[in-house]
Amino acid sequence: MLKGKTALVTGSTSGIGLGIAKALAEQSADIVLSGLSSDDEADALKQEISETYGVKAGFSGANLTDPDAIEGMMGYVARDFGGADILVNNAGVQHVSPIEDFPVARWDLIIALNLSAAFHTTRMAISGMKEKGWGRIINTASAHALVASPYKSAYVAAKHGIAGLTKTVALEGAEHGIRCNAICPGYVYTPLVEGQVADTAKARGITEEEVKRDVLLAAQPTKEFVTSEQIGAFASFLCSPGADGINGAILSMDGGWVAQ
Ligand code: NAD
């Protein structure tokens, strides 16, 4: 379905980004991975993607909090892949702290990575998409693009910002064959969360099942994690002809979290 297209997926060396990268590779898109991995880890992932799916795979280790590094990454994608036909803005981090104690450096980092990086990649990719008359931009937002939780001021502000950016880019690209949408996951069982389950069980003296149900999934009515594979499948659908009418949508995938 996506043969001849290139997908740049930021923050795709683990978790949700890797799930999306694999799902798009399965549809025959060439893939540019990105993340803060070592060269060895990046080489192994590139090899896995290219051998499993028979596509071309590249990697950028750009630190996406730095606009100059983002420019370097976009230059690499333009030179080696002919530009990004599909851009998935997914890289993101979290920090939890009351606002009065929130470290200013963490605020700046979260806004730079979770919000401004998507502005930079989009502004550099969209001219190429307009020239080709086709482009898909998918932003990994969060349930926190729609509702807040205490102690997550920077993350919630950045994710609400991503929702606004998504709608704006959707309007600007609409008549050029470009679609821009945001996926808003609830809790996703990434390797990062997996580690937290064991630690929390130990700290609270409860079972891992109780941690998942009563702590992590307290707000998720299905009491099930969303998976990276499900998000990959959703992203893949958003790149298919069946989704051509979806534009500027802030799409929940959270087991019912924001329905409450
Ligand atoms: P993860 O920690 O598994 O992956 C994060 C990726 O971002 C990695 O590839 C990492 O190398 C990369 N990265 C981190 N800092 C970077 C930087 N400065 N420059 C370049 N790359 C950088 O995280 P995840 O759980 O897969 O989350 C991915 C996205 O999904 C984030 O935007 C996150 O906010 C969002 N999200 C996650 C969940 C969840 O429950 N895991 C829920 C909702 C939304």
Side-chain angles (χ1 to χ4, degrees):
M1 181 180 82
L2 298 173
K3 199 161 183 55
K5 310 278 191 212
T6 293
L8 167 61
V9 186
T10 71
S12 49
T13 53
S14 78
I16 295 170
L18 186 56
I20 293 174
K22 287 181 176 175
L24 296 178
E26 199 169 11
Q27 297 299 324
S28 303
D30 292 329
I31 300 294
V32 181
L33 300 162
S34 116
L36 298 182
S37 298
S38 68
D39 287 348
D40 284 352
E41 286 167 336
D43 285 346
L45 275 177
K46 272 196 305 189
Q47 195 177 344
E48 184 192 338
I49 297 262
S50 59
E51 283 179 5
T52 308
Y53 304 103
V55 300
K56 183 176 166 184
F59 170 75
S60 166
N63 183 334
L64 302 179
T65 60
D66 174 3
D68 290 339
I70 294 174
E71 196 168 352
M73 174 177 75
M74 299 310 283
Y76 158 63
V77 178
R79 266 191 322 275
D80 284 29
F81 289 81
D85 305 287
I86 298 164
L87 169 63
V88 183
N89 291 305
N90 169 80
V93 290
Q94 172 67 285
H95 187 81
V96 182
S97 165
I99 194 162
E100 61 269 34
D101 301 326
F102 210 97
V104 172
R106 295 302 293 180
W107 169 276
D108 289 343
L109 185 147
I110 289 173
I111 298 299
L113 181 64
N114 296 21
L115 178 57
S116 300
F119 160 69
H120 293 300
T121 54
T122 301
R123 73 181 171 81
M124 293 182 215
I126 201 160
S127 300
M129 292 177 179
K130 283 184 179 176
E131 276 164 28
K132 292 176 188 170
W134 194 93
R136 294 290 176 270
I137 300 171
I138 298 169
N139 296 322
T140 306
S142 165
H144 285 116
L146 297 163
V147 296
S149 296
Y151 314 126
K152 296 182 176 176
S153 53
Y155 189 86
V156 172
K159 294 297 185 184
H160 275 64
I162 274 286
L165 178 68
T166 300
K167 293 178 191 176
T168 307
V169 172
L171 299 182
E172 294 187 25
E175 292 183 38
H176 300 274
I178 298 167
R179 302 289 175 264
C180 180
N181 294 292
I183 298 176
C184 297
Y187 245 113
V188 184
Y189 204 61
T190 60
L192 199 111
V193 173
E194 203 172 342
Q196 281 175 31
V197 172
D199 291 348
T200 309
K202 215 170 170 185
R204 294 191 180 214
I206 55 179
T207 66
E208 295 196 2
E209 279 316 304
E210 284 168 334
V211 172
K212 289 182 194 173
R213 191 189 62 230
D214 301 335
V215 182
L216 299 180
L217 296 178
Q220 210 147 291
T222 52
K223 304 297 174 210
E224 283 174 7
F225 288 97
V226 175
T227 66
S228 298
E229 289 77 15
Q230 290 165 351
I231 297 178
F234 198 10
S236 173
F237 170 66
L238 288 175
C239 295
S240 75
D244 280 355
I246 304 177
N247 194 32
I250 311 302
L251 301 159
S252 292
M253 196 171 195
D254 62 6
W257 180 343
V258 304
Q260 298 167 98

